[in-house]
Amino acid sequence: LIKEKDMEKKAHKLLLALLMFAMLINPLVDSNIVKASEGDIEEKLQKVVDKALEFEGVNYKSPHHDRHIGFNCDGLIWYAYKEAIGHLVPMGPENMDELGKEISKEDLRIGDVITYDFRKTGRATHVAMYIGKIPGHSKPQIIHAVRNGDGYKGRGGVILDDFDRYKAVKRYVRLYDETNMQVADFRVKKWVNLRTNNGNQPYDREALIGRFRKGDI
């Protein structure tokens, strides 16, 4: 009986020691996980920016998201995310503006999006990707696809600009975060209409949805 009590005491002490050890190392483990996660996200976003930069000088074409044909503003961002890291963001300036996570100007990081209301409609009519400081430029940069003669001093196509050049900023938006959502909702307003046959033909929404089968992505 005495031996059993001694064993119980030893087991109790061991359990307490293990609990204290777990409490001590847990913050360290959590911190390392967070740092690893942040490092992974930064690496992915750099890939997105690098991919977008590959298309500098490519023609403007709307509505398109094809490196061989051209890009419009949201098509460039959508394509860069998809090709670089397989992440699908919403299409259309309005959808990016409404479905992205609003952030402050001070919280901008590479890969984030700036939405603009150049037409003073109260809606987002243009988007650009924030790419930060890059060699050869004194200010942080954005990359975006613009029309010729559309208020951009006659420069058309995929171009770089100072991030604070345009005053008609609507919001600063984060399209990629720790949730790492892989699939965008194709049913958001105007998305299907814009992207079905490049917007050249009418579509029946229910018929389109009806083509999907269980297991489709």
Side-chain angles (χ1 to χ4, degrees):
L1 185 62
I2 293 171
K3 284 183 178 179
E4 285 179 0
K5 286 183 178 180
D6 286 342
M7 290 176 67
E8 285 178 3
K9 286 180 180 179
K10 287 180 180 179
H12 185 66
K13 286 180 179 179
L14 179 62
L15 182 59
L16 285 174
L18 288 171
L19 285 171
M20 289 179 68
F21 178 72
M23 289 173 67
L24 285 170
I25 68 165
N26 192 52
L28 297 176
V29 172
D30 288 345
S31 175
N32 287 334
I33 289 173
V34 170
K35 286 179 181 177
S37 176
E38 288 175 351
D40 183 52
I41 289 169
E42 288 174 4
E43 184 178 338
K44 286 183 176 179
L45 292 175
Q46 187 61 58
K47 288 180 180 178
V48 173
V49 167
D50 291 343
K51 180 58 67 175
L53 286 169
E54 288 181 17
F55 309 129
E56 184 182 1
V58 171
N59 292 332
Y60 178 89
K61 187 74 174 176
S62 181
H64 271 290
H65 43 282
D66 188 306
R67 65 186 303 160
H68 302 297
I69 300 174
F71 297 100
N72 63 354
C73 62
D74 59 295
L76 171 67
I77 295 169
W78 184 88
Y79 191 86
Y81 266 98
K82 181 180 77 73
E83 291 297 301
I85 60 174
H87 181 75
L88 299 183
V89 300
M91 281 184 166
E94 280 189 82
N95 293 323
M96 289 185 179
D97 182 66
E98 293 177 13
L99 299 177
K101 175 184 175 182
E102 185 173 10
I103 57 174
S104 68
K105 184 178 180 179
E106 292 70 30
D107 288 334
L108 274 173
R109 70 182 183 192
I110 61 170
D112 286 338
V113 167
I114 303 174
T115 66
Y116 303 90
D117 180 13
F118 287 123
R119 301 170 190 168
K120 298 181 180 180
T121 61
R123 299 179 287 107
T125 57
H126 184 69
V127 286
M129 181 188 294
Y130 179 75
I131 61 174
K133 292 292 289 290
I134 61 174
H137 298 271
S138 58
K139 289 186 175 182
Q141 297 290 293
I142 57 172
I143 188 166
H144 55 158
V146 300
R147 290 187 182 92
N148 280 314
D150 201 17
Y152 310 102
K153 296 184 179 178
R155 297 178 304 158
V158 179
I159 62 171
L160 297 178
D161 264 322
D162 292 346
F163 90 107
D164 58 355
R165 177 182 174 191
Y166 306 105
K167 306 305 179 187
V169 172
K170 187 173 185 292
R171 290 207 308 168
Y172 302 97
V173 175
R174 181 155 295 162
L175 296 179
Y176 184 86
D177 60 21
E178 291 73 9
T179 60
N180 194 25
M181 184 174 65
Q182 293 294 312
V183 180
D185 185 351
F186 70 93
R187 293 166 295 181
V188 295
K189 66 179 183 179
K190 298 186 180 179
W191 192 93
V192 179
N193 190 34
L194 185 65
R195 297 303 165 184
T196 302
N197 299 312
N198 279 322
N200 295 323
Q201 297 178 24
Y203 73 100
D204 183 316
R205 181 178 181 277
E206 295 305 319
L208 189 70
I209 293 172
R211 296 177 193 172
F212 286 85
R213 299 174 300 174
K214 187 176 180 180
D216 285 345
I217 296 177

